[in-house]
Amino acid sequence: MNQERVFQVLVGPHVSEKAAVVADENNQFVFKVAVDATKAEIKKSVEQLFKVKVDNVRTLKVKGKVKRNRFGYSTKPTWKKAYVRLEQGQDIDFASVD
């Protein structure tokens, strides 16, 4: 996987209450990823970018919500979320990424 694709796959970390609970209990981190990214690409991207060992990856698509505005209805974009479980003893520190 080339270096450019690594940065295209991972959009950013997803920060929420559930993500914090999962990170504490199960050694998992939640990322927003590209909609066309595969589990293998996500695993390689996290391993290359953060220099950690990934145990497994679970993905899901978050369907965009329909919102009303003054012009009628519009749809928020659908996006993909990945739950990345790290191997025992591994950790990601978002503050000190190279």
Side-chain angles (χ1 to χ4, degrees), residues 12-81:
H14 180 67
V15 181
S16 67
E17 225 175 292
K18 183 178 178 184
V21 169
V22 168
D24 289 339
E25 293 178 358
N26 300 329
N27 199 25
Q28 288 182 334
F29 292 90
V30 185
F31 294 96
K32 288 184 181 178
V33 296
V35 178
D36 62 340
T38 63
K39 289 183 180 184
E41 285 180 330
I42 296 167
K43 181 177 179 177
K44 286 180 185 176
S45 295
V46 171
E47 286 178 345
Q48 286 182 8
L49 194 61
F50 298 108
K51 297 173 181 54
V52 293
K53 295 288 183 188
V54 175
D55 186 25
N56 69 353
V57 177
R58 294 182 181 177
T59 60
L60 63 107
K61 281 191 176 180
V62 180
K63 186 172 173 155
K65 296 181 179 178
V66 176
K67 297 287 188 175
R68 286 191 59 172
N69 56 24
R70 66 182 184 166
F71 303 112
Y73 293 101
S74 62
T75 306
K76 296 290 181 183
T78 300
W79 54 282
K80 195 171 191 177
K81 182 167 35 172

